[in-house]
Amino acid sequence: MDKASRVLAEGLPEGMPNTYAALAAHGDVPLSTLHHRARGRRSREAKAQSQQYLYPYEENALVEFLIHQSTLGRPVRMKHIPSLAFSATR
C-alpha cells in the first residue's frame, strides 16, 4: 500500500477538520495524489505491475537464458527477445 492510501485509511486525529487538505498536510502527501487515490486511481507502481508482460519467475528464466547464451559466446539479437518472451509465457 502506498503512502497516500495509508493516509486515507488511517484518517485524522480528533479535532482536525476532515478535509483532503488537512489529510495531505497531516500525512505529508501531495493533495492531488491524495485526491486521485480517493477516486480510485492506482499508483504508478501498481499500474506498471499490472501491465507487466512476464511474471517475475518467467522474467528470471529469460534473463538466465540470455546470460547463459552470452557466456557461451552466442549473444541473442534484440529482435529475437520478444519471441523468446512469448515462448516463456506459453
Side-chain angles (χ1 to χ4, degrees):
M1 182 182 291
D2 65 315
K3 189 174 182 180
S5 299
R6 233 180 289 122
V7 169
L8 279 172
E10 290 173 2
L12 288 169
E14 290 292 323
M16 293 186 74
N18 193 15
T19 62
Y20 287 133
L23 273 171
H26 178 69
D28 194 31
V29 176
L31 179 62
S32 60
T33 303
L34 195 62
H35 183 72
H36 291 314
R37 292 300 174 281
R39 299 287 179 242
R41 185 185 291 182
R42 298 179 293 179
S43 66
R44 289 183 181 182
E45 293 84 15
K47 183 180 178 188
Q49 190 175 27
S50 72
Q51 291 177 338
Q52 191 170 0
Y53 184 69
L54 298 174
Y55 289 111
Y57 66 89
E58 294 170 335
E59 186 176 338
N60 290 339
L62 182 61
V63 168
E64 286 178 20
F65 173 76
L66 294 173
I67 291 171
H68 182 66
Q69 291 297 314
S70 179
T71 303
L72 292 175
R74 294 180 286 173
V76 178
R77 295 184 64 168
M78 289 296 293
K79 70 179 188 177
H80 297 298
I81 293 178
S83 64
L84 289 171
F86 177 75
S87 297
T89 60
R90 297 186 329 142

